Structure formats: structure tokens, C-alpha cells
Amino acid sequence: MLMYHHVGPVRAGALAGLTIAPERFKRQMHWLKRRGFCSIVGSDWLAWRSSGKQLPAKPVMITFDDAYADLVRYAFPVLRDLGFKATVFVVTDEIGGKNSWDRETGSDSLCCMSGEQITYWSKLGIEFGVHSKTHADLTLLSDEQLEEEVAGSGRDLADLLGIVPSSFAYPYGFYNDSVLCTTRRRFQLAFTCDEGLNRLGTDLHLLHRTKVEPEDSLLDFILRVRYGFSAVQRVRLFIRAHPRLRKVLRWIKKS
């Protein structure tokens, strides 16, 4: 299960770490198509788990958090042309608004999808789930606030689309026992930011996803698809966290 956020040009002042360039995204999707991967959505996973409905031989789930409006221009047409489906998680208080939750970090705003766009693309292979009402850290909320963020966002999307959403994605990937308990009562599926592959026995409310990074090489992407994480990225992060090791590697490179 692949996790994306914003696909489009890097906007000045916005969080560059959440943005995948359109051409990079297009190459990644074409690689999946050439290698015979078939996209699935949450309802396909549920049908497999509940009734044994067969999944394709090489399933991949493409997910997008936050429902940025740029997806309509830069991501969805690519998916449509390749015959791919995807799942998008909506911050329901910001439908037609902006990513206000990122302002505390000093990020400039990005537009979110409108209700009309969500309704339109829901009929064209895009499945919509929810990502809470305000993108709050759910682990810090009272029981009443947590219920409103989780159940309230489900009601918001159901009112818009006329169907009850089956899936939820934890904002920031944060969850605890209270969040899990509330989510289990309200949704059939929930998605984390924990890396790894998903199998028949994977908890339906602790599904793993690997975040596709802006700096990912094709090798990074292939590893994420095959194993649910990129070992190359982990080595890269380890080296960055150890300045002395970086100096040694630079010295070796010069030698």
C-alpha cells in the first residue's frame, strides 16, 4: 500500500517533503502498469477478507492523504488513463478549503478538493475515505472530541456522497488504544503510516503503508512496492543522522 500526499509542482512556502513531482508520479505509475500490477481500493480488500473474493495476482493500493486539489490535475488523469483505482482520505472540515493544519509549521496553504470534485471522481474509480474533520492529533483529544473527529468526519462524507465510507486514515499516523477503539466502532478499515506489507492476518485497523518520498529513486520505489519499505532510504537516513559517517564516506569517495 503506497501513501502519497500532494502530487503537483512544489508551491513556494509549502511543505516540499509532501510533494511528488508530476513526471515522477507518472513514471512510477507507468512502471506499475508495465510490471503487471493491478490497483485495488479498500472495498476490494474488505471483499477479500470477508468473502474470499479473489484479488488480482499483483495487487497494489494507491492512497492519497489530505485530498489536495492538485490531484485532480496531476494524478487522477494519469490513473484514469492507466485504468488504475485509488483511495483518497479527506479532511472533511476543509473540503473546498485549504490545509490549515500545516499553518502551525509555517507552511503556506494548498487548496483541498471541493465537494463537486470529490463527487465527480468518486464515480470514476476513486474511492474516498476520511482523515478526520480537522487533521488533529487524535491521541491528544478528549473522548468527546475524538468521537466528533472520527464519527463526525464519516457523517460529513456520507452526507456528500450518499454512501457510508468504510475507511479511515490516522492523521500524522498517530493512534493509541482510545483512537483504535473509536475507529473500530465507526469504520471497517483504518490505515496507519507504519511501513510493511499487508497479509490476510493483518489487523484491518492497523493496515501498513509506505510513504513515497520526493527524493525516491526508481530503486526506492521498487523496494516500497516489493517489501513495503525502502532499505535504501533507511540507509540514507541513517547516514544523515551520523555526521562522522558522512565525513568518512566523503573521504572514501575522494580517495
Side-chain angles (χ1 to χ4, degrees):
M1 296 183 181
L2 303 173
M3 176 175 59
Y4 292 90
H5 289 79
H6 177 241
V7 176
V10 177
R11 308 293 185 185
L15 294 174
L18 297 181
T19 296
I20 304 295
E23 283 305 312
R24 186 180 295 265
F25 177 77
K26 186 175 182 180
R27 286 195 299 270
Q28 291 167 350
M29 295 302 103
H30 277 267
W31 183 89
L32 291 174
K33 188 70 173 182
R34 289 195 306 271
R35 295 302 188 277
F37 284 89
C38 295
S39 63
I40 64 170
V41 290
S43 56
D44 298 320
W45 191 262
L46 275 174
W48 176 58
R49 286 289 305 267
S50 61
S51 64
K53 183 179 179 181
Q54 193 66 32
L55 291 175
K58 299 174 73 174
V60 61
M61 190 179 294
I62 303 161
T63 71
F64 300 89
D65 286 5
D66 305 335
Y68 291 111
D70 275 345
L71 297 177
V72 171
R73 178 176 180 181
Y74 297 105
F76 293 170
V78 174
L79 299 173
R80 179 194 57 202
D81 292 346
L82 294 174
F84 280 172
K85 300 183 285 187
T87 303
V88 177
F89 297 105
V90 181
V91 181
T92 59
D93 273 7
E94 294 297 345
I95 293 174
K98 297 185 177 181
N99 59 329
S100 59
W101 58 91
D102 283 330
R103 290 173 189 160
E104 293 182 3
T105 66
S107 172
D108 281 351
S109 297
L110 292 171
C111 293
C112 297
M113 293 178 67
S114 67
E116 292 78 10
Q117 290 171 325
I118 291 171
T119 301
Y120 175 81
W121 283 98
S122 71
K123 301 172 183 177
L124 296 176
I126 305 299
E127 186 169 278
F128 289 89
V130 290
H131 202 31
S132 79
K133 287 179 71 71
T134 66
H135 206 289
D137 179 348
L138 302 181
T139 65
L140 302 179
L141 304 182
S142 68
D143 290 343
E144 293 77 13
Q145 291 171 323
L146 177 58
E147 181 70 15
E148 179 59 18
E149 285 285 343
V150 175
S153 60
R155 289 193 298 269
D156 292 342
L157 195 59
D159 289 344
L160 176 63
L161 296 179
I163 55 174
V164 177
S166 61
S167 59
F168 185 89
Y170 302 109
Y172 309 106
F174 297 163
Y175 58 89
N176 56 19
D177 289 343
S178 295
V179 173
L180 273 172
C181 183
T182 302
T183 306
R184 288 188 197 280
R185 290 200 309 269
R186 299 298 181 179
F187 294 93
Q188 295 172 281
L189 299 172
F191 294 77
T192 71
C193 299
D194 302 333
E195 292 193 306
L197 298 177
N198 297 279
R199 297 177 172 83
L200 182 61
T202 303
D203 189 321
L204 288 176
H205 295 84
L206 292 173
L207 292 170
H208 307 299
R209 293 186 295 166
T210 180
K211 179 174 175 272
V212 181
E213 299 284 355
E215 63 184 12
D216 276 357
S217 65
L218 182 57
L219 176 59
D220 285 302
F221 183 74
I222 292 171
L223 291 172
R224 294 188 191 284
V225 173
R226 299 291 188 187
Y227 304 109
F229 70 96
S230 169
V232 174
Q233 186 213 21
R234 292 187 180 184
V235 170
R236 191 184 299 128
L237 293 174
F238 179 82
I239 292 172
R240 287 177 181 172
H242 294 80
R244 291 183 180 179
L245 181 56
R246 291 205 306 271
K247 290 180 180 179
V248 170
L249 291 175
R250 283 198 296 267
W251 178 81
I252 293 173
K253 187 176 180 180
K254 292 178 181 178
S255 300

